[in-house]
Amino acid sequence: NMKNKMIPKIGLAITTSLLSWNISFAQTIDSYIPSQKNIEARKEFQDNKFGIFIHWGIYSMLAQGEWYMTNHNIDWREYEKLASGFYPSRFNAAEWVSAIKASGAKYICITSRHHDGFSMFHTQQSDFNIVEDYPAGGNTGKGTGRTNGHGDWPSYYRFMNNQLTELLTNYGPIGAIWFDGVWDRPSDFDWQLKEQYDLIHKLQPACLIGNNHHRDVYAGEDIQIFERDVPGENTAGYSTQAISALPLETCQTMNGCLLYTSPSPRDRT
């Protein structure tokens, strides 16, 4: 799952970058040595302090949370039909950005593709995206982008790397790639993160990498993420990792999930 921060994954999640003590922006982990542009980007991210996390996709129409398909055991063949009705004709990016700037936020993280597999950009790797008239008018011939068979991980890695290449070559400077996952596999499972991280830094050396894996930081990561807790606390049950010297970010929700739900007694103002 990928989410990208644009600096030019509805209830909004609040993301705050926190200062870690004795911070070293040039910290190296194993063999990864960040470029000078990357170190400068870390410092900018650290100074930004406050960003807005937008979860937006076909699940938004249901107003039941971004994990609706999984939590309610919806067959993916039924869930994918939502795409044909997703037509946000009144979407105005300028209005969104103006409102976010007025809040004092300095960056935006948006779900370019969440766990349901629907891409919120014009990808050539799958018809299952916001631009194509899925399933009727898709032109890639690749359907939802699902692999050839269950557990075909090499096919999935190629798909992910191709999508990362699209995001990092077609949309100008990207502030960061925000990964979410790895916790649904055994701890020794090989996600080929090094290959993905190397690809990102090759295409955009200043692009920061963060991974919400709830583990200690891996080589190639530039920021450390804490989900629904500040570093050093673990009230949500996700944050057992050690605090690194990297710039830190806590992703905090305004309700029990990462987008608007209705009705929801958990919504807070």
Side-chain angles (χ1 to χ4, degrees), residues 45 47 55 79 95 103 169 178 195 228 263:
F45 174 78
D47 293 341
H55 276 63
Y79 180 84
E95 288 183 357
S103 76
T169 57
W178 202 101
E195 288 78 2
R228 299 175 64 182

Side-chain angles (χ1 to χ4, degrees), residues 25 32-40 42 201 204-206:
F25 291 107
Y32 172 53
I33 301 176
S35 67
Q36 183 59 39
K37 288 183 178 180
N38 188 278
I39 295 170
E40 293 169 359
R42 294 184 187 189
H201 287 138
Q204 292 201 27

Side-chain angles (χ1 to χ4, degrees), residues 12-201:
L12 298 179
I14 300 174
T15 55
T16 309
S17 55
L18 303 171
L19 182 64
S20 61
W21 48 88
N22 298 324
I23 190 152
S24 171
F25 291 107
Q27 181 194 31
T28 61
I29 303 173
D30 296 336
S31 60
Y32 172 53
I33 301 176
S35 67
Q36 183 59 39
K37 288 183 178 180
N38 188 278
I39 295 170
E40 293 169 359
R42 294 184 187 189
K43 179 62 167 59
E44 181 182 1
F45 174 78
Q46 186 74 78
D47 293 341
N48 282 338
K49 300 296 183 185
F50 174 48
I52 297 292
F53 204 164
I54 299 177
H55 276 63
W56 187 41
I58 57 176
Y59 45 75
S60 303
M61 295 189 292
L62 303 172
Q64 296 296 317
E66 69 279 2
W67 283 93
Y68 182 79
M69 178 172 62
T70 297
N71 293 344
H72 293 268
N73 198 29
I74 306 299
D75 187 278
W76 66 268
R77 286 170 288 264
E78 291 298 312
Y79 180 84
E80 70 175 8
K81 295 175 183 177
L82 288 170
S84 62
F86 187 58
Y87 187 71
S89 60
R90 292 186 291 178
F91 168 65
N92 188 314
E95 288 183 357
W96 284 32
V97 171
S98 294
I100 289 169
K101 283 185 174 181
S103 76
K106 301 297 184 182
Y107 64 92
I108 300 169
C109 182
I110 189 168
T111 48
S112 52
R113 181 167 62 85
H114 202 255
H115 297 277
D116 63 352
F118 187 75
S119 296
M120 294 293 288
F121 66 101
H122 194 193
T123 177
Q124 296 301 311
Q125 307 308 311
S126 164
D127 292 330
F128 198 46
N129 68 75
I130 191 172
V131 177
E132 306 292 348
D133 182 20
Y134 183 86
N139 58 23
T140 70
K142 298 180 180 179
T144 63
R146 288 178 174 271
T147 56
N148 296 327
H150 182 69
D152 184 355
W153 291 104
S155 176
Y156 177 72
Y157 297 142
R158 286 192 298 273
F159 171 79
M160 273 201 69
N161 290 339
N162 287 340
Q163 283 210 317
L164 285 167
T165 300
E166 289 177 326
L167 287 170
L168 293 163
T169 57
N170 294 337
Y171 297 94
I174 301 296
I177 297 292
W178 202 101
F179 287 94
D180 191 29
V182 316
W183 19 256
D184 63 339
R185 294 282 137 184
S187 59
D188 61 350
F189 186 83
D190 181 13
W191 287 97
Q192 297 192 8
L193 292 178
K194 183 181 186 306
E195 288 78 2
Q196 293 167 16
Y197 292 177
D198 287 348
L199 173 66
I200 293 168
H201 287 138

Side-chain angles (χ1 to χ4, degrees), residues 1 3 9-15 51-57 59-60 63-68 71 96 109-111 114-115 178-181 183 212 214 225-229 238 249-262 264 266-268:
N1 170 250
K3 302 162 190 182
K9 208 156 130 270
I10 316 175
L12 298 179
I14 300 174
T15 55
I52 297 292
F53 204 164
I54 299 177
H55 276 63
W56 187 41
Y59 45 75
S60 303
Q64 296 296 317
E66 69 279 2
W67 283 93
Y68 182 79
N71 293 344
W96 284 32
C109 182
I110 189 168
T111 48
H114 202 255
H115 297 277
W178 202 101
F179 287 94
D180 191 29
W183 19 256
N212 187 41
H214 310 151
I225 299 165
F226 293 80
E227 183 174 2
R228 299 175 64 182
D229 267 306
Y238 303 127
E249 179 187 71
T250 183
C251 176
Q252 181 66 338
T253 64
M254 295 174 66
N255 56 18
C257 60
L258 285 149
L259 68 143
Y260 171 77
T261 56
S262 176
S264 175
R266 300 172 298 175
D267 288 342
R268 301 192 297 267

